[in-house]
Amino acid sequence: MAKRGLKLSVQIPNIMSDGPAWRRALHAAIVQVQDRGNVQYSNTDKLEVEICFHLRNPKLTILDLDNRLKDVFDALQGFVGEKDKSGELRPIIPNDNQIYRVIAEKRLAPKVNRAALSTIVIRRYDHHGGTVREPRDTRKLAKPED
């Protein structure tokens, strides 16, 4: 049986001031490549995400990397608005708690192409033997209604 592919390399739209619109654009770009390569992630996959944001001055020094990562992780889970709203987009990954390693940077786009898109790479994480083989369920179970 062939191994299931777990690597996606995608050029993503650069950061936009409208957060929900940016998350929607991120999601669309990643889903397009995901569907073309037939890459699907299960809820037991451990993942590594590498992101390079191309920014222009003064955004390079103003924007907080951790907040942009939250936007990306929400988009990967199909959340583009408020998380408790239904009818969101199809998840690319089931849960962001599956991300065991993140490599992120913000930098100026190359001089030869100042309009260059940002990039994201999602791949299997298997670099460290100290992680558990099977992730445990960390979600709280809903209490049965009386």
Side-chain angles (χ1 to χ4, degrees), residues 82-143:
E82 295 180 36
K83 286 186 181 181
D84 57 350
K85 300 284 184 185
S86 61
E88 295 289 346
L89 302 173
R90 157 186 125 202
I92 295 164
I93 64 170
N95 193 312
D96 64 0
N97 70 8
Q98 296 174 247
I99 300 171
Y100 280 68
R101 184 172 189 224
V102 177
I103 303 165
E105 70 177 312
K106 55 183 184 175
R107 66 166 101 150
L108 292 172
K111 287 183 181 181
V112 295
N113 183 8
R114 289 292 184 202
L117 295 175
S118 298
T119 59
I120 185 168
V121 178
I122 305 166
R123 61 183 154 248
R124 176 190 327 262
Y125 177 77
D126 58 5
H127 299 303
H128 192 275
T131 59
V132 294
R133 289 189 190 274
E134 296 295 324
R136 66 185 171 98
D137 189 4
T138 58
R139 295 199 182 258
K140 292 182 180 177
L141 298 176
K143 292 181 181 178

Side-chain angles (χ1 to χ4, degrees), residues 23 65-75:
R23 288 189 294 274
L65 196 56
D66 63 320
N67 292 330
R68 300 302 66 86
L69 288 174
K70 289 175 193 174
D71 287 328
V72 171
F73 292 174
D74 284 350

Side-chain angles (χ1 to χ4, degrees), residues 26-71:
L26 281 170
H27 185 273
I30 297 168
V31 163
Q32 183 179 37
V33 173
Q34 181 184 32
D35 288 348
R36 196 172 46 226
N38 198 25
V39 174
Q40 298 297 319
Y41 298 106
S42 75
N43 60 356
T44 59
D45 292 327
K46 292 186 285 184
L47 304 170
E48 172 180 290
V49 176
E50 184 174 342
I51 305 168
C52 178
F53 297 111
H54 287 154
L55 303 172
R56 294 185 185 154
N57 277 329
K59 288 185 178 183
L60 185 66
T61 56
I62 294 173
L63 291 177
D64 292 341
L65 196 56
D66 63 320
N67 292 330
R68 300 302 66 86
L69 288 174
K70 289 175 193 174
D71 287 328

Side-chain angles (χ1 to χ4, degrees), residues 3-18:
K3 245 185 173 180
R4 182 171 50 103
L6 289 178
K7 183 176 179 182
L8 283 175
S9 296
V10 184
Q11 289 189 313
I12 56 174
N14 291 323
I15 296 171
M16 299 167 18
S17 57
D18 181 344

